[in-house]
Amino acid sequence: MSDLVRMQGIDKRFPGVHALRAVDFDLRAGEVHALMGENGAGKSTLMKCLSGVYQPDGGRILIDGAAVALPNPRAAQDLGIGIIHQELALMRDLNVAQNIWIGREPRLSLGRIDEARLNADAAAIFRGMNVAMDPRAPVAALTIARQQMVEIAKALSFRSRVLIMDEPTAALNDSEIAELFTIIRRLRAEGVGIIYISHKMDEIRRIADRVTVMRDGATVGTVQAAETPIAQIIAMMVGRELVDEPVAIPDLSAAECALELRGITRGREVRDVSFSLKRGEILGFAGLMGAGRTELARAIFGAEPPESGEIIVHGRPVTIRSPADAVRAGIGYLSEDRKHYGLALGMDVRANIALASLARYTDRLGRIDEQELAAVSNRYIDMLSIRTPHDRQEVRLLSGGNQQKVVIAKWLLRDCDILIFDEPTRGIDVGAKAEIHRLLADLAGQGKAIIVISSELPELLRLSHRIAVMCEGRLTGILPGGASQERIMALATRREGMAAE
Amino acid sequence: MTGTQATIPAQQRRSGAARQMLLAFASLIALVIGFSLASPNFFQVSNIMAILQATSVNGVLAVGVTLIIITGGIDLSIGTLMTFCAVMTGVVLTWAGMPLILGVLTAIGTGAACGLVSGMFVARMKIPPFIATLGMMLMLKGLSLIVTGTKPIYFNDTPGFTQIAQGSVVGALIPGLPLPNGVLILFLVAAVTAWILGRTVLGRYTFALGSNEEAVRLSGVNTDAWKMAIYALAGGIVGIGGLLISSRLNSAQPALGLGYELEAIAAVVIGGTSLAGGRGTILGTLIGALIMSVLTNGLRVLSVAPEWQTVVTGAIIIVAVYADQLRRRKASQG
Amino acid sequence: MFTRRNLLGAVAALSLAGMATSASAQDAMYIPLISKGFQHQFWQAVKAGADKAGEELGVNVSFEGPDNETQVDKQLDMLAAALANKPAAIGFAALDSQAAIPQLRQAQEAGIPVIAFDSGVDSDIPVALAATDNIAAAAMAADKLAELIGGAGKVAVVAHDQTSRTGVDRRDGFVNRMKEAHPDVEIVAIEYGGGDHLKSTEITKALLTANPDLKGIFGTNEGSAIGVVNGVTEAGASDVVIVGYDSGKAQTDAIRDGRMAGAITQNPVGIGYETVKAAVAAARGEQVQASIDTGFYWYDKSNIDAPEIAAVLYD
């Protein structure tokens, strides 16, 4: 097999960061080449160089053996390099077909757009993908998983010979992932070279032919996916061996009940949910996408307050109409979308940690006691091992795992003893994941009551003392920790009768 | 059940947008009926024509700035640009004595050129639209005063110039309906712009830029060039506004123009276009502009004190945007 | 839900409309005055005069003007709305002497007599003009300023407007009189501040910076004159002689405490009063005098409290 893409000695610097150090990478036609590494290892930067978004400062890129220049995304597209970005790059106010063909609209005279052809072509791509999708549906109305399908369709529409997928399954459920893999395998058979970035080890084993691991902006090595043990790949990524321990379920029979829900209901998304949570307990929430887990969390937190039902905190009923009420009751919520809801990205670590507790560090004139804050934030940086050069570093410059830790620090400082984690490790690399897991266990050990929502069953199984399962807004059951995946899936798909429509 | 889930919100969204349009239109009708009941002098052909005439300039400016607002930008220079276009028309027609058609082309050309400059500030030089067009606003105001020597230029030597806004082609065909040409031009401009937005590549990129500019850029579209084109188109439309106001006043008034941008932006906002970009309609803007002039005219016909007219107009803007917020909150929950 | 909200809005609008109509019951003769503005004290004094005449003559008077004196088209819209109400006669102070002619023609066709006030239009449609002779008044300001600076030296004009009749007349009346009667006085600058206090202040300070030996400044209306006083005070040039125009609290105070030497006052109350009086007469088909000179006076510290002056000053 010949080299479709060869990147040689790619170097890229940003102000203050040497992002890529003489990276070599190659892709053959008709293979799936996984690119792995912790966040910040340089995978995305490397791919942005290949797709014309960034210009490398050194090295060269060869396509079919010929050196090429990729001054802009268009040039890369013209060479048949398509990319599906990790942060979905869609225009929410446009519809599906309009998104796919943006920049390449079939035109009639006078600059008019041939909408009929636009829609027909888009429909054809979805037919080829075996996905049911209305090309006229506005993207903003689609779930993240469906939006991902649009991204893939868009990349396919370029008739790409090289397809870069940056964490394409982050928001997909199992059947959707299976669908995606079918598509990937078909493309591979047609001779397309696919660069596949993911943190999910099981996926790599299922789909990848070769694996290249990057660390700190350099290539660590390239191995055959089928022959290399996962532990070795992880070791390459983090530079050390990780141990995966099964969950130890503590005896909580004497523990005080921290949070109790009775008949919480909100619209169709959350229906008559009741459960209780003890101090020191980690309660996992499993379910398919759209089961209402996030909605339940947001209802508890008052972001979209419940329409009916009772919330009891430490034995006292509380009224939660807004997040401020929830915080006052000691409930903290770590959103699945950190960048939108959890962090002020442009502000520094110290300001973010203090964001919810500013009143405590403010004198009567409204002046902020920065010295005290510095001490406090440095304490949390040490305690949670947040990797940041100093507490004045802007949060957007931290890796995903460290951003997550900043959010945790924020709620700990606010004295929240009931913490709701919604997808705490989404977009976080393996090494940092294990660290977050350990952190959650430690927090529980200190007597915090913790709810974890995760779409990754292995993660829930590793963490949870009990596992609550939701389906279509209802709580279909609570299983003991370590329950089998089969039992969880059975509850997650237990629908309420068949007469839904 | 799962299969239809994705399409249900889509339909809700569409009907939501249609409902918003209906809502604005219903408010307009309610205002007209209210004023008609309150004063017998309101619903008269001559007064309705006066209202439409009063809408023509603000309406055209609002249509122009709608484009910019949909891209997620803002244009504060449209008021003084309108004046500058009028002044340049005066220079060509009155001072140079050129034929009328050249004056018309000058107005549109000047607008488009200035729009292109604004677009360049925004797209190429990455100056935030608010600042770039604030700068343009002041530069153009100054230039208008410099060119004219601060005196108005009258169009007495160009017969037919006043007909652009004041004459009535419709009235000549249908004697009972003396619809001023200015209004006809407003409707034409609105129709063509709506067509561009809905049917052409330029329109598509207008929405796309306001929706997610980075995504458009990553799709290989030359976003800078298209953005400049959109600003230029908006400028050209403002040039037509300049023609209308100077034809109406039979003069280019160099000191005029400041404050007109805010009225136009208010009309756009009342019409349901989001200042966040990505969403908006020309029909909505047209209705917004009509609501504003029906309101001012109606309150005047009722002899409400001018101080109170200002208060009511401000309140209407708040109410309109709040209604839109409510609708959107409802839609996002549904 | 939304329809209900919408109805509420409509009801609110209607009730507002209802209030307004009951206030202007249409049995008496209705005379709208479209002025150049309504926020300045001068226009409020005109309005007071108009209201007084309305009360005496038993007619309904309304008074309206645009936010600032550049908004020519806004004034036309006001004129159109006033015409829609089928008034008996109309009073009009034109911002631009030509732009309103189509509307005025419409009034003429409808048989509605037009009385111009404050400044005229380039048309024979208005049956009368009730105004100050601004040229003569500004000439008097020139004479007084020349006398106060000893007949020689540099002076400047801060005018309110370069397009309206009053702006042009006051500027030209002042400049021409100075050239003819006081050859040793040099007018070094004529600047326009739009009648805006702040702008006129800045202009004045710039003038004083450019011409440190400036002896006197003429501010051509209330806003300009106050701006000049502020500018001179801020620049600390207390020896500059200031002559103003019109009155208003700030200006009369400045004259009382000596910051301003004196000012020309028109008779704004008289302008409003005479306009309504002429309008009523014209509406009744009576003969109206074509040019109604509403008069002007020079006032300074010495005569500011004299009854004939105090009567035409406004706060």
Side-chain angles (χ1 to χ4, degrees):
Chain A
M1 264 192 294
S2 64
D3 282 349
L4 188 54
V5 175
R6 177 166 287 278
M7 302 177 82
Q8 290 175 334
I10 301 294
D11 227 69
K12 179 73 187 170
R13 287 169 187 275
F14 295 110
V17 188
H18 196 167
L20 297 176
R21 302 161 200 260
V23 174
D24 292 331
F25 181 81
D26 69 280
L27 177 72
R28 299 169 191 156
E31 76 160 345
V32 176
H33 191 156
L35 185 56
M36 305 196 69
E38 297 195 83
N39 278 3
K43 302 170 309 234
S44 293
T45 309
L46 185 68
M47 290 304 110
K48 283 182 174 169
C49 289
L50 181 56
S51 58
V53 177
Y54 292 155
Q55 274 61 57
D57 299 323
R60 53 185 199 148
I61 299 172
L62 299 101
I63 308 282
D64 292 331
V68 293
L70 301 168
N72 53 50
R74 192 54 177 265
Q77 285 166 5
D78 290 345
L79 284 166
I81 301 169
I83 182 163
I84 298 165
H85 291 276
Q86 183 182 3
E87 318 266 319
L88 290 179
L90 294 173
M91 288 132 278
R92 293 174 52 80
D93 300 302
L94 268 48
N95 72 27
V96 169
Q98 291 169 348
N99 262 286
I100 291 176
W101 297 109
I102 188 79
R104 299 166 294 151
E105 291 80 1
R107 297 191 197 184
L108 303 169
S109 58
L110 292 172
R112 280 177 304 153
I113 295 173
D114 188 346
E115 295 284 351
R117 226 186 93 198
L118 189 85
N119 290 326
D121 289 355
I125 294 175
F126 285 115
R127 261 198 312 281
M129 287 167 65
N130 198 17
V131 170
M133 176 88 73
D134 176 8
R136 289 181 199 80
V139 162
L142 301 179
T143 60
I144 296 181
R146 308 273 297 171
Q147 293 186 11
Q148 188 98 47
M149 294 297 172
V150 177
E151 277 276 19
I152 293 167
K154 182 173 170 184
L156 292 179
S157 74
F158 283 102
R159 308 194 179 287
S160 306
R161 296 188 300 145
V162 177
L163 193 54
I164 305 164
M165 296 181 165
D166 196 349
E167 296 216 46
T169 58
L172 304 192
N173 65 29
D174 285 345
S175 69
E176 287 164 333
I177 290 175
E179 249 173 60
L180 175 68
F181 282 2
T182 312
I183 295 166
I184 291 178
R185 290 197 185 96
R186 192 159 61 235
L187 291 171
R188 175 168 61 184
E190 287 167 11
V192 175
I194 293 158
I195 302 172
Y196 191 93
I197 301 179
S198 176
H199 292 309
K200 299 186 188 169
M201 287 299 160
D202 56 323
E203 286 181 4
I204 301 301
R205 293 302 285 267
R206 276 165 70 192
I207 197 74
D209 301 307
R210 288 193 296 162
V211 179
T212 291
V213 177
M214 289 181 72
R215 191 169 70 226
D216 296 332
T219 331
V220 178
T222 301
V223 295
Q224 295 296 321
E227 300 155 9
T228 315
I230 287 180
Q232 188 191 333
I233 295 176
I234 294 179
M236 285 166 79
M237 286 167 64
V238 299
R240 63 183 186 277
E241 295 276 346
L242 288 176
V243 203
D244 201 8
E245 305 158 18
V247 61
I249 301 172
D251 178 16
L252 295 166
S253 52
E256 180 208 340
C257 180
L259 174 74
E260 189 178 349
L261 264 62
R262 288 186 193 154
I264 292 296
T265 297
R266 178 178 172 83
R268 294 179 51 82
E269 290 110 5
V270 181
R271 292 189 274 176
D272 193 24
V273 172
S274 306
F275 66 86
S276 65
L277 173 68
K278 290 184 167 176
R279 294 186 60 136
E281 184 179 29
I282 299 179
L283 178 61
F285 267 81
L288 301 175
M289 290 203 93
R293 294 169 301 163
T294 294
E295 290 76 5
L296 174 64
R298 291 177 66 85
I300 299 172
F301 190 58
E304 271 102 32
E307 285 154 6
S308 62
E310 249 186 299
I311 298 178
I312 295 150
V313 176
H314 299 307
R316 275 179 300 118
V318 291
T319 311
I320 294 180
R321 304 302 309 166
S322 69
D325 292 341
V327 170
R328 219 170 294 130
I331 302 174
Y333 174 60
L334 288 83
S335 145
E336 58 179 324
D337 193 342
R338 293 185 293 277
K339 296 189 176 170
H340 271 127
Y341 304 114
L343 291 167
L345 287 174
M347 293 172 77
D348 58 29
V349 173
R350 183 196 298 176
N352 270 286
I353 292 178
L355 206 56
S357 321
L358 264 188
R360 215 190 303 161
Y361 300 99
T362 308
D363 68 12
R364 262 178 306 171
L365 293 174
R367 285 176 307 188
I368 295 170
D369 187 347
E370 288 289 352
Q371 264 181 339
E372 179 66 25
L373 270 188
V376 167
S377 48
N378 279 315
R379 204 169 71 229
Y380 278 103
I381 290 172
D382 287 346
M383 189 170 105
L384 306 179
S385 352
I386 301 174
R387 270 192 290 279
T388 172
H390 45 77
D391 67 331
R392 303 317 298 256
Q393 180 84 341
E394 281 181 38
V395 166
R396 67 186 169 86
L397 301 173
L398 302 187
S399 72
N402 285 305
Q403 289 182 351
Q404 187 68 289
K405 289 181 191 168
V406 172
V407 186
I408 295 173
K410 177 174 86 172
W411 291 121
L412 291 180
L413 179 60
R414 190 65 179 76
D415 291 334
C416 287
D417 51 9
I418 302 169
L419 294 169
I420 307 173
F421 291 85
D422 199 347
E423 304 287 359
T425 58
R426 170 171 296 171
I428 291 179
D429 45 71
V430 222
K433 236 178 202 175
E435 216 175 319
I436 296 274
H437 292 161
R438 205 164 44 240
L439 184 58
L440 293 191
D442 288 350
L443 289 171
Q446 291 159 24
K448 309 277 182 203
I450 291 174
I451 292 175
V452 175
I453 298 170
S454 174
S455 297
E456 289 180 48
L457 270 185
E459 173 169 276
L460 281 181
L461 291 169
R462 199 175 310 139
L463 272 175
S464 314
H465 303 155
R466 285 188 300 154
I467 297 175
V469 189
M470 289 184 74
C471 178
E472 291 180 354
R474 289 169 304 114
L475 190 61
T476 47
I478 298 185
L479 300 169
S484 75
Q485 300 209 12
E486 288 72 24
R487 286 181 66 194
I488 294 174
M489 285 316 291
L491 287 175
T493 51
R494 195 160 82 189
R495 294 190 173 165
E496 193 183 28
M498 300 309 287
E501 283 296 342
Chain B
M1 171 85 206
T2 352
T4 52
Q5 237 162 6
T7 52
I8 289 168
Q11 281 159 3
Q12 274 174 352
R13 259 176 75 86
R14 247 172 270 152
S15 72
R19 195 161 47 178
Q20 158 73 357
M21 191 71 73
L22 225 63
L23 180 89
F25 192 66
S27 311
L28 176 61
I29 299 296
L31 276 176
V32 170
I33 293 176
F35 284 127
S36 303
L37 293 176
S39 165
N41 296 328
F42 178 80
F43 204 74
Q44 305 277 337
V45 172
S46 63
N47 193 47
I48 297 301
M49 292 308 146
I51 292 172
L52 290 172
Q53 178 79 285
T55 317
S56 58
V57 172
N58 187 35
V60 167
L61 295 186
V63 166
V65 81
T66 301
L67 294 174
I68 310 272
I69 291 178
I70 292 177
T71 67
I74 193 85
D75 194 340
L76 299 178
S77 71
I78 50 173
T80 52
L81 174 57
M82 165 191 82
T83 304
F84 186 63
C85 293
V87 164
M88 293 315 288
T89 309
V91 168
V92 166
L93 291 182
T94 302
W95 291 2
M98 306 263 209
L100 182 59
I101 182 68
L102 279 182
V104 172
L105 293 177
T106 303
I108 298 173
T110 306
C114 293
L116 195 68
V117 173
S118 289
M120 205 181 66
F121 290 159
V122 173
R124 284 246 196 285
M125 294 160 68
K126 308 291 176 213
I127 302 171
F130 189 95
I131 307 297
T133 59
L134 182 71
M136 274 304 269
M137 165 174 114
L138 295 172
M139 285 196 282
L140 290 169
K141 182 175 168 65
L143 284 176
S144 294
L145 293 169
I146 291 166
V147 170
T148 55
T150 74
K151 279 188 281 294
I153 306 175
Y154 291 94
F155 292 96
N156 293 331
D157 306 332
T158 312
F161 187 76
T162 55
Q163 293 298 309
I164 293 175
Q166 299 182 27
S168 178
V169 174
V170 177
L173 297 173
I174 314 163
L177 192 70
L179 189 75
N181 289 343
V183 182
L184 195 64
I185 290 173
L186 165 63
F187 289 156
L188 283 177
V189 167
V192 171
T193 311
W195 179 82
I196 291 175
L197 266 184
R199 290 269 180 275
T200 69
V201 177
L202 186 69
R204 177 64 40 83
Y205 292 156
T206 308
F207 284 106
L209 282 172
S211 196
N212 188 345
E213 181 171 346
E214 183 61 11
V216 184
R217 201 176 66 81
L218 293 177
S219 303
V221 176
N222 186 344
T223 46
D224 289 358
W226 284 104
K227 203 184 262 184
M228 283 162 64
I230 294 163
Y231 274 84
L233 173 62
I237 294 172
V238 170
I240 297 176
L243 265 185
L244 290 183
I245 196 162
S246 53
S247 163
R248 177 131 192 253
L249 303 176
N250 191 27
S251 56
Q253 299 280 345
L256 191 95
L258 226 50
Y260 287 63
E261 65 286 338
L262 294 182
E263 269 180 53
I265 291 167
V268 175
V269 166
I270 291 176
T273 293
S274 159
L275 278 185
R279 247 173 292 180
T281 59
I282 295 298
L283 186 57
T285 295
L286 208 54
I287 292 172
L290 279 170
I291 286 178
M292 285 187 70
S293 42
V294 162
L295 200 69
T296 13
N297 175 282
L299 294 172
R300 269 171 200 155
V301 167
L302 297 180
S303 306
V304 172
E307 297 89 329
W308 281 105
Q309 294 177 17
T310 321
V311 174
V312 173
T313 312
I316 290 286
I317 294 172
I318 304 287
V319 170
V321 177
Y322 179 59
D324 193 36
Q325 283 293 336
L326 279 182
R327 179 187 66 80
R328 215 161 285 164
R329 220 174 295 164
K330 206 80 180 171
S332 71
Q333 282 169 15
Chain C
M1 186 67 191
F2 292 105
T3 16
R4 208 185 312 145
R5 258 169 226 292
N6 204 27
L7 274 177
L8 276 177
V11 169
L14 278 176
S15 54
L16 198 119
M19 273 159 39
T21 20
S22 57
S24 65
Q26 301 259 319
D27 33 357
M29 189 184 275
Y30 171 55
I31 298 176
L33 265 59
I34 307 300
S35 100
K36 293 178 177 176
F38 69 96
Q39 294 170 2
H40 277 87
Q41 293 311 314
F42 177 82
W43 297 113
Q44 288 297 325
V46 174
K47 180 174 188 295
D51 288 343
K52 184 164 162 250
E55 234 167 78
E56 284 178 18
L57 301 168
V59 297
N60 272 326
V61 173
S62 74
F63 190 93
E64 192 172 17
D67 291 339
N68 70 61
E69 300 201 356
T70 64
Q71 297 182 333
V72 186
D73 63 321
K74 295 281 143 71
Q75 200 189 30
L76 297 194
D77 292 337
M78 290 174 184
L79 196 53
L83 288 172
N85 263 344
K86 304 195 170 54
I90 206 162
F92 182 60
L95 280 176
D96 183 276
S97 55
Q98 296 188 6
I101 290 172
Q103 261 85 0
L104 295 180
R105 205 167 286 139
Q106 208 183 321
Q108 189 184 33
E109 281 159 13
I112 301 168
V114 178
I115 311 295
F117 67 96
D118 189 59
S119 40
V121 287
D122 294 348
S123 155
D124 53 6
I125 296 171
V127 295
L129 168 63
T132 312
D133 183 345
N134 278 300
I135 294 182
M140 183 190 243
D143 287 341
K144 292 288 183 187
L145 183 57
E147 182 190 321
L148 287 164
I149 62 170
K154 290 181 178 175
V155 300
V157 178
V158 177
H160 60 280
D161 186 49
Q162 57 270 61
T163 54
S164 76
R165 201 70 256 155
T166 58
V168 173
D169 283 353
R170 288 179 202 170
R171 179 193 67 199
D172 293 351
F174 182 89
V175 171
N176 293 339
R177 177 71 182 176
M178 217 42 123
K179 278 186 189 150
E180 285 162 18
H182 311 285
D184 295 337
V185 178
E186 184 196 352
I187 298 174
V188 291
I190 302 170
E191 297 283 350
Y192 303 93
D196 181 290
H197 296 186
L198 192 63
K199 270 191 207 162
S200 305
T201 304
E202 300 302 344
I203 287 172
T204 304
K205 285 163 78 174
L207 280 173
L208 290 170
T209 311
N211 307 283
D213 52 347
L214 205 62
K215 284 194 165 171
I217 304 177
F218 174 43
T220 64
N221 78 346
E222 185 186 341
S224 312
I226 294 167
V228 171
V229 171
N230 291 346
V232 167
T233 310
E234 282 179 25
S238 54
D239 50 344
V240 174
V241 177
I242 304 169
V243 168
Y245 209 106
D246 298 335
S247 51
K249 182 93 172 90
Q251 201 166 184
T252 50
D253 282 352
I255 288 173
R256 279 181 213 281
D257 65 21
R259 280 177 297 156
M260 186 184 275
I264 298 290
T265 175
Q266 312 183 62
N267 183 357
V269 181
I271 292 176
Y273 187 87
E274 293 295 337
T275 304
V276 172
K277 203 173 123 190
V280 171
R284 290 187 179 135
E286 294 163 17
Q287 190 62 38
V288 181
Q289 192 190 336
S291 176
I292 307 163
D293 184 359
T294 51
F296 60 87
Y297 309 91
W298 166 260
Y299 70 106
D300 54 22
K301 220 180 207 170
S302 65
N303 68 347
I304 191 162
D305 292 318
E308 72 272 18
I309 298 294
V312 297
L313 296 183
Y314 53 87
D315 273 339

